Amino acid sequence: MASSVRFTVTPTKAEDLPDTSPDVSSRSSGRVRFGSRESVNRRADTPDRSHLEHGDGGVKLSSVYINNSHAIDDDDFYDRNLALFEEEMDTRPKVSSLLNRLANYTNLMQGAKEHEEAESIGEKRKSSKSPQMGTFMGVYLPCLQNIFGVILFLRLTWVVGTAGVLQALCIVFICCCCTLLTAISMSAIATNGVVPAGGSYFMISRSLGPEFGGAVGSCFYLGTTFAGSMYILGAIEILLMYIAPSAAIFVSDNPDGEAGAMLNNMRVYGSIFLVLMSLLVFVGVKYVNKLASVFLACVIVSILSIYTGALVSAFSPPSFPVCMLGNRSLGQHELKDGQCMKTLQVLLEPPPLEGANASESFNGTDAPPVTAAAAQERTTDLWRHFCNSSELSAVCDEYFLHNNVTQIQGIPGLASGVIADNIWSSYSAKGDVLERGSHHSPHRDAVSNHFPYVFADITTSFTLLIGIFFPSVTGIMAGSNRSGDLKDAQRSIPIGTILAILTTSLVYLSCVLLFGSCVEGVVLRDKFGDSVKGNLVVGTLSWPSPWVIVIGSFFSTCGAGLQSLTGAPRLLQAIAKDNIIPFLRVFGHGKANGEPTWALLLTAVLAELGILIASLDLVAPILSMFFLMCYLFVNLACALQTLLRTPNWRPRFSYYHWTLSFLGMTICLALMFISSWYYAIVAMVIAGMIYKYIEYNGAEKEWGDGIRGLSLSAARFALLRLEEGPPHTKNWRPQLLVLLKLDEDAHVKSPRLLTFASQLKAGKGLTIVGTVIPGNFLQTYGEALAAEQTLKHLMEKERVKGFVQCIVTQKPREGISHMIQSSGLGGMRHNTVVMGWPDAWRQSEDPQSWKTFINTVRVTTTAHLALLVPKNISLFPSNTEPCTDGFIDVWWIVHDGGMLMLLPFLLRQHKVWRKCSMRIFTVAQMEDNSIQMKKDLATFLYHLRIDAYVEVVEMHDSDISAYTYERTLMMEQRSQMLRQMRLSKSDREKEAQLVKDRNSMLRLTSIGSDEDEDTDGAGDRSAEYRRVHMTWTRDKALQLRSNTQTHTASVCSTPEGFRDMLNIRPDQSNVRRMHTAVKLNEVIVNKSHDARLVLLNMPGPPKNPEGDENYMEFLEVLTEGLERVLLVRGGGSEVITIYS
């Protein structure tokens, strides 16, 4: 029909028209108005609306349906195709208006500015650009940089040598599984809306509440701070051990004091490094971010050099000889002459060759055949260490005398088969000499540390190695922390994070195999490379030079330390700004540009505590505890959200399951106690103390009736907590009050309402089933109990878990109002009312049902409650009739909080509707860009994590059809006729009442409202008449009776009166509303005639009660020809959000 209409464009300007004119064109403000040619041509002949309203051309003084003062304020009210919704456009905007506001949506929350932008506060601001970082640059590479760290270069070879290849693979696999499962849970949480800055703290606190969020956020902060300490200690170890050993300040000549001197050097240099890094972070974090790519390049080049060196070693192994005494390794940096032998044969004949022809002496007797006069045997530095003298006759160590000195290749190469010796573990106690794993010394006595052996500096075990290695797999939160910079965070975070974990896991597992296959076991167990002349062990395998690894690892650890000192203060600032831990409030302040100065100061002080420990192997288990606790609660948050099935839990990342989260949580807990049970207890105590501090005024103990007393205490505490404030949008779920009607036999008239409620709730949340029984409570108490039992049995049958409430009242309409006002307890109150459509509202046998219906709509609107009205409820499927296919169609006309989006999602959780697809239709007016609306709507649904087919239906601003005009005329004629018939019948009854005395009249007036609800037929009409005059004086009642009688006689008592009534002109506002209903019904039936369920915005009732009957007619026209309809009316608050 719309295709036959020809349109013209008439631009109008505000200055061309008087400001006071209420005409629609006066408010166009340059808008392009679309109208048909016929309407344009006819405009000159049509009087202005204001003249119609004030003239006497058969049009009413003002509309009974709309408050015209609102209409003048907003130009959207006069959209001809949305006239049915115009009365509430100020609170329920058009979808096109909402999408226009969302079109410039950004992921960043208010105040979450980029630090680089914040620093340039005095500089010229550039126009803000939308986030453009993709998965690779925004998530994958930052995660790689944060995961690869100091442990890979300084400790992984030692872990492989000590635990053996098999157990090392097991350690790496367990740790990587822990982070992978955590990443899956984190991806689900991160894609359940937008995650602003704050990373894991934001996710946990918004998922588990402020107590858990504050406790775990504090643990994550401490872990990040101690990670900075660990990275700085790693950088100092590389500097003093491998780059510049001569830079040591404290030097000990006594072997017993070497360890203490080294720790003091670490403390001094670590403190200096910490001060310099803190100053760099304070001056400008943008410089740290710019250096990040350089540090990442160092890491990648270092890892590539390891793989290249391993491949090259298969053909030409590098020469790193290891000196062995028996099967004990010797530290070559202590042998000043560099000779790996007991004695030397020196030729005395000229020319002196200075050892050029010197030969090795393995046992002092196997010298090459020379004359006695030609050679002389001399001792080496090794002899002097074991014999305390350079004389050949000196008394030497027994083990030294009984074992030969040999040299073996430290890097046999990939093809050597050395992995067979490295396959099993070789744990040792502190002070033990490192020996080749496949050979055991016959003498196992205590060995003096004055000998140049390589000693174990700590007692090793499987659990200790897990605690030391675990920090090398942390850093998986880097992607979620950068969500504001990502072009598509909900896609990039899961893909980038999981790919980074898989990449690093593959690198770690392959490095374990390569180290075990290429490096001699005794060299692997040499933590500081003493047996290979002080070289970094992993550097001996690198190609082309060990310096590639040394320099690369130094810069990468410095970069990681800077990143930790950058991230930790911002995490503390985010916690402090939430104001959940009062004594941290001061750390929420900073420089004028938002930099967390005070938080950086506290971070530096705490990092200094870690540096004072001075041992990388002691700091690593500490931060492992805090990271493991953080990951544990990430998994717990995901598992709880999945099991509770909160309506806002709609992750776009679908490859998660609560069992995976529970497994990850179990692994985290196990690793905490495996690696260090006392650290685990300390970390849990710290978290528990913070939790109780945040929630220090919790439930009081109540020791009364055992478990019941505890349950009552917990229930009271929960109810009080629920009442502290309104629920957050994320936690909003429909808490239902289902209004059922009972017939004369106490049977439920529409049991499918309860079936629909069970499908919508799926056993979650609150459900109250209520009914109103007419009568006197003193006389009908038994009926109320019977009705309550009937409803309980029906609830059990439909498997609805909830409560029953029966109210006995003289006035059912007021009973429903009281029930809506008073049901529930504390925070457990309903927020949604479900009631049936009055099917027989046009029938004479139930003339008051539609009045009760409209009154209930008004009550729910006043109470700011949502309202669901299933139409044709008997056709809705039962719980045993699942829909095998089909669509749930949503017609989103106006935005009223997102109920239309949330309800199909909840219904599809039930088996009946699970296989139905979701389609969303919205209406575009002629001035709307329908293509852009469709894009914006698709983007909006994407951020809501709702999968649905989107279509924008264009409704042309066509002329009002003859059918619409005729339908409106019939409606008004019918209403007028019924009104006059009621008045005439009331007059006849009123004549009898007026002859009685005043007391009788007052008695009838006082009970008139009761009979209005409880009687049928003529009694209802007379009761309505009496109710109108309830507070009037008798004189006024007589005056109205006289006026009404005269008017009735003139209108209804003659055929001419009926003809005049039939010739009335319909009200223009009613014509526009009927036009809306007819046009919307046409497009809805056209698009959704085959839908399993149609959800539709329910227009609000008229503010003037005289238009109630017309309102019912409009709803009937709007839903004609549709099999199952759910009319939805929001409660005025947002129930769905794009945020996590």
Side-chain angles (χ1 to χ4, degrees), residues 751-770:
R752 284 292 169 89
L753 269 179
L754 211 52
T755 306
F756 174 74
S758 69
Q759 295 169 2
L760 184 63
K761 297 295 291 179
K764 305 294 181 183
L766 173 70
T767 303
I768 301 174
V769 180

Side-chain angles (χ1 to χ4, degrees), residues 122 666 850:
T666 306
W850 59 273

Side-chain angles (χ1 to χ4, degrees), residues 986-1031:
S986 298
D987 286 334
R988 291 194 296 270
E989 295 182 359
K990 191 65 178 177
E991 291 291 342
Q993 301 296 336
L994 291 175
V995 299
K996 296 185 178 180
D997 59 7
R998 179 179 179 82
N999 292 334
S1000 177
M1001 180 177 177
L1002 290 175
R1003 181 183 61 81
L1004 291 172
T1005 304
S1006 66
I1007 65 172
S1009 183
D1010 296 5
E1011 295 176 1
D1012 177 51
E1013 303 273 346
D1014 305 330
T1015 60
D1016 296 333
D1020 294 323
R1021 303 185 187 100
S1022 62
E1024 180 185 318
Y1025 193 89
R1026 288 194 303 273
R1027 182 175 59 82
V1028 172
H1029 303 287
M1030 197 166 74
T1031 58

Side-chain angles (χ1 to χ4, degrees), residues 91-132:
T91 58
R92 302 170 196 266
K94 288 194 307 180
V95 174
S96 58
S97 304
L98 175 75
L99 294 177
N100 282 334
R101 292 199 299 267
L102 294 173
N104 296 322
Y105 161 77
T106 176
N107 288 0
L108 291 176
M109 287 185 66
Q110 186 177 4
K113 298 179 181 178
E114 280 302 297
H115 309 304
E116 291 89 344
E117 294 178 0
E119 287 179 348
S120 61
I121 197 164
E123 302 173 8
K124 183 180 179 181
R125 294 281 181 141
K126 296 182 179 180
S127 59
S128 59
K129 298 181 179 178
S130 59
Q132 293 296 329

